[in-house]
PDB file of all heavy atoms in Angstrom:
ATOM      1  N   PRO A  79     -15.728 -18.270 -38.550  1.00 64.00           N
ATOM      2  CA  PRO A  79     -17.162 -18.221 -38.494  1.00 64.00           C
ATOM      3  C   PRO A  79     -17.673 -18.487 -37.139  1.00 64.00           C
ATOM      4  O   PRO A  79     -17.105 -19.286 -36.372  1.00 64.00           O
ATOM      5  CB  PRO A  79     -17.614 -19.311 -39.455  1.00 64.00           C
ATOM      6  CG  PRO A  79     -16.436 -20.214 -39.615  1.00 64.00           C
ATOM      7  CD  PRO A  79     -15.273 -19.385 -39.376  1.00 64.00           C
ATOM      8  N   LYS A  80     -18.705 -17.730 -36.736  1.00 70.00           N
ATOM      9  CA  LYS A  80     -19.256 -17.908 -35.389  1.00 70.00           C
ATOM     10  C   LYS A  80     -20.027 -19.213 -35.319  1.00 70.00           C
ATOM     11  O   LYS A  80     -20.676 -19.632 -36.288  1.00 70.00           O
ATOM     12  CB  LYS A  80     -20.207 -16.762 -35.034  1.00 70.00           C
ATOM     13  CG  LYS A  80     -19.504 -15.426 -34.908  1.00 70.00           C
ATOM     14  CD  LYS A  80     -20.477 -14.377 -34.492  1.00 70.00           C
ATOM     15  CE  LYS A  80     -19.766 -13.083 -34.276  1.00 70.00           C
ATOM     16  NZ  LYS A  80     -20.679 -11.968 -33.943  1.00 70.00           N
ATOM     17  N   ALA A  81     -19.909 -19.840 -34.186  1.00 68.00           N
ATOM     18  CA  ALA A  81     -20.677 -21.139 -33.959  1.00 68.00           C
ATOM     19  C   ALA A  81     -22.130 -20.812 -33.814  1.00 68.00           C
ATOM     20  O   ALA A  81     -22.524 -19.791 -33.197  1.00 68.00           O
ATOM     21  CB  ALA A  81     -20.126 -21.798 -32.721  1.00 68.00           C
ATOM     22  N   LYS A  82     -22.967 -21.701 -34.352  1.00 72.00           N
ATOM     23  CA  LYS A  82     -24.448 -21.515 -34.206  1.00 72.00           C
ATOM     24  C   LYS A  82     -24.798 -21.912 -32.812  1.00 72.00           C
ATOM     25  O   LYS A  82     -24.300 -22.933 -32.271  1.00 72.00           O
ATOM     26  CB  LYS A  82     -25.157 -22.377 -35.233  1.00 72.00           C
ATOM     27  CG  LYS A  82     -24.883 -21.894 -36.641  1.00 72.00           C
ATOM     28  CD  LYS A  82     -25.700 -22.742 -37.660  1.00 72.00           C
ATOM     29  CE  LYS A  82     -25.438 -22.315 -39.062  1.00 72.00           C
ATOM     30  NZ  LYS A  82     -26.122 -23.155 -40.004  1.00 72.00           N
ATOM     31  N   PRO A  83     -25.720 -21.204 -32.231  1.00 71.00           N
ATOM     32  CA  PRO A  83     -26.121 -21.627 -30.918  1.00 71.00           C
ATOM     33  C   PRO A  83     -26.875 -22.941 -30.934  1.00 71.00           C
ATOM     34  O   PRO A  83     -27.561 -23.273 -31.868  1.00 71.00           O
ATOM     35  CB  PRO A  83     -27.060 -20.484 -30.397  1.00 71.00           C
ATOM     36  CG  PRO A  83     -27.413 -19.741 -31.648  1.00 71.00           C
ATOM     37  CD  PRO A  83     -26.369 -20.010 -32.647  1.00 71.00           C
ATOM     38  N   ALA A  84     -26.719 -23.732 -29.868  1.00 68.00           N
ATOM     39  CA  ALA A  84     -27.392 -25.030 -29.812  1.00 68.00           C
ATOM     40  C   ALA A  84     -28.913 -24.793 -29.682  1.00 68.00           C
ATOM     41  O   ALA A  84     -29.339 -23.833 -29.050  1.00 68.00           O
ATOM     42  CB  ALA A  84     -26.945 -25.799 -28.611  1.00 68.00           C
ATOM     43  N   PRO A  85     -29.703 -25.661 -30.375  1.00 69.00           N
ATOM     44  CA  PRO A  85     -31.143 -25.474 -30.290  1.00 69.00           C
ATOM     45  C   PRO A  85     -31.565 -25.809 -28.850  1.00 69.00           C
ATOM     46  O   PRO A  85     -31.062 -26.622 -28.219  1.00 69.00           O
ATOM     47  CB  PRO A  85     -31.715 -26.541 -31.311  1.00 69.00           C
ATOM     48  CG  PRO A  85     -30.547 -27.504 -31.513  1.00 69.00           C
ATOM     49  CD  PRO A  85     -29.306 -26.744 -31.290  1.00 69.00           C
ATOM     50  N   LYS A  86     -32.654 -25.069 -28.517  1.00 71.00           N
ATOM     51  CA  LYS A  86     -33.183 -25.255 -27.161  1.00 71.00           C
ATOM     52  C   LYS A  86     -33.917 -26.570 -27.079  1.00 71.00           C
ATOM     53  O   LYS A  86     -34.641 -26.948 -28.002  1.00 71.00           O
ATOM     54  CB  LYS A  86     -34.108 -24.135 -26.809  1.00 71.00           C
ATOM     55  CG  LYS A  86     -33.356 -22.820 -26.602  1.00 71.00           C
ATOM     56  CD  LYS A  86     -34.378 -21.761 -26.111  1.00 71.00           C
ATOM     57  CE  LYS A  86     -33.659 -20.424 -25.929  1.00 71.00           C
ATOM     58  NZ  LYS A  86     -34.556 -19.372 -25.508  1.00 71.00           N
ATOM     59  N   ALA A  87     -33.741 -27.318 -26.068  1.00 64.00           N
ATOM     60  CA  ALA A  87     -34.422 -28.555 -25.872  1.00 64.00           C
ATOM     61  C   ALA A  87     -35.871 -28.284 -25.440  1.00 64.00           C
ATOM     62  O   ALA A  87     -36.134 -27.409 -24.615  1.00 64.00           O
ATOM     63  CB  ALA A  87     -33.733 -29.452 -24.865  1.00 64.00           C
ATOM     64  N   ALA A  88     -36.808 -29.030 -25.978  1.00 61.00           N
ATOM     65  CA  ALA A  88     -38.233 -28.880 -25.611  1.00 61.00           C
ATOM     66  C   ALA A  88     -38.411 -29.395 -24.230  1.00 61.00           C
ATOM     67  O   ALA A  88     -37.843 -30.417 -23.808  1.00 61.00           O
ATOM     68  CB  ALA A  88     -39.113 -29.626 -26.592  1.00 61.00           C
ATOM     69  N   ALA A  89     -39.173 -28.674 -23.461  1.00 59.00           N
ATOM     70  CA  ALA A  89     -39.422 -29.060 -22.053  1.00 59.00           C
ATOM     71  C   ALA A  89     -40.357 -30.290 -22.089  1.00 59.00           C
ATOM     72  O   ALA A  89     -41.295 -30.389 -22.948  1.00 59.00           O
ATOM     73  CB  ALA A  89     -40.090 -27.896 -21.318  1.00 59.00           C
ATOM     74  N   PRO A  90     -40.099 -31.268 -21.211  1.00 62.00           N
ATOM     75  CA  PRO A  90     -40.985 -32.454 -21.191  1.00 62.00           C
ATOM     76  C   PRO A  90     -42.404 -32.053 -20.768  1.00 62.00           C
ATOM     77  O   PRO A  90     -42.558 -31.206 -19.994  1.00 62.00           O
ATOM     78  CB  PRO A  90     -40.323 -33.364 -20.204  1.00 62.00           C
ATOM     79  CG  PRO A  90     -39.454 -32.508 -19.341  1.00 62.00           C
ATOM     80  CD  PRO A  90     -39.072 -31.282 -20.213  1.00 62.00           C
ATOM     81  N   LYS A  91     -43.367 -32.663 -21.457  1.00 67.00           N
ATOM     82  CA  LYS A  91     -44.758 -32.415 -21.184  1.00 67.00           C
ATOM     83  C   LYS A  91     -45.197 -33.160 -19.948  1.00 67.00           C
ATOM     84  O   LYS A  91     -44.755 -34.304 -19.740  1.00 67.00           O
ATOM     85  CB  LYS A  91     -45.639 -32.775 -22.353  1.00 67.00           C
ATOM     86  CG  LYS A  91     -45.371 -31.895 -23.570  1.00 67.00           C
ATOM     87  CD  LYS A  91     -46.293 -32.267 -24.634  1.00 67.00           C
ATOM     88  CE  LYS A  91     -46.076 -31.412 -25.882  1.00 67.00           C
ATOM     89  NZ  LYS A  91     -46.954 -31.769 -26.953  1.00 67.00           N
ATOM     90  N   LYS A  92     -45.938 -32.562 -19.131  1.00 66.00           N
ATOM     91  CA  LYS A  92     -46.505 -33.188 -17.938  1.00 66.00           C
ATOM     92  C   LYS A  92     -47.724 -34.027 -18.324  1.00 66.00           C
ATOM     93  O   LYS A  92     -48.585 -33.602 -19.093  1.00 66.00           O
ATOM     94  CB  LYS A  92     -46.927 -32.184 -16.933  1.00 66.00           C
ATOM     95  CG  LYS A  92     -45.796 -31.438 -16.261  1.00 66.00           C
ATOM     96  CD  LYS A  92     -46.281 -30.521 -15.190  1.00 66.00           C
ATOM     97  CE  LYS A  92     -45.160 -29.741 -14.567  1.00 66.00           C
ATOM     98  NZ  LYS A  92     -45.615 -28.820 -13.563  1.00 66.00           N
ATOM     99  N   PRO A  93     -47.756 -35.239 -17.846  1.00 65.00           N
ATOM    100  CA  PRO A  93     -48.960 -36.076 -18.140  1.00 65.00           C
ATOM    101  C   PRO A  93     -50.166 -35.513 -17.478  1.00 65.00           C
ATOM    102  O   PRO A  93     -50.142 -35.021 -16.381  1.00 65.00           O
ATOM    103  CB  PRO A  93     -48.580 -37.420 -17.608  1.00 65.00           C
ATOM    104  CG  PRO A  93     -47.443 -37.271 -16.682  1.00 65.00           C
ATOM    105  CD  PRO A  93     -46.825 -35.948 -17.056  1.00 65.00           C
ATOM    106  N   LYS A  94     -51.285 -35.587 -18.193  1.00 66.00           N
ATOM    107  CA  LYS A  94     -52.591 -35.066 -17.623  1.00 66.00           C
ATOM    108  C   LYS A  94     -53.130 -36.124 -16.744  1.00 66.00           C
ATOM    109  O   LYS A  94     -53.141 -37.315 -17.039  1.00 66.00           O
ATOM    110  CB  LYS A  94     -53.510 -34.787 -18.762  1.00 66.00           C
ATOM    111  CG  LYS A  94     -53.106 -33.583 -19.599  1.00 66.00           C
ATOM    112  CD  LYS A  94     -54.105 -33.268 -20.635  1.00 66.00           C
ATOM    113  CE  LYS A  94     -53.692 -32.125 -21.512  1.00 66.00           C
ATOM    114  NZ  LYS A  94     -54.627 -31.866 -22.586  1.00 66.00           N
ATOM    115  N   GLY A  95     -53.640 -35.768 -15.697  1.00 53.00           N
ATOM    116  CA  GLY A  95     -54.247 -36.758 -14.912  1.00 53.00           C
ATOM    117  C   GLY A  95     -54.404 -36.612 -13.529  1.00 53.00           C
ATOM    118  O   GLY A  95     -54.414 -36.100 -12.610  1.00 53.00           O
TER     119      GLY A  95
END
Side-chain angles (χ1 to χ4, degrees):
K80 290 184 180 178
K82 293 182 181 177
K86 291 184 180 178
K91 294 183 180 180
K92 290 184 182 179
K94 293 182 182 179

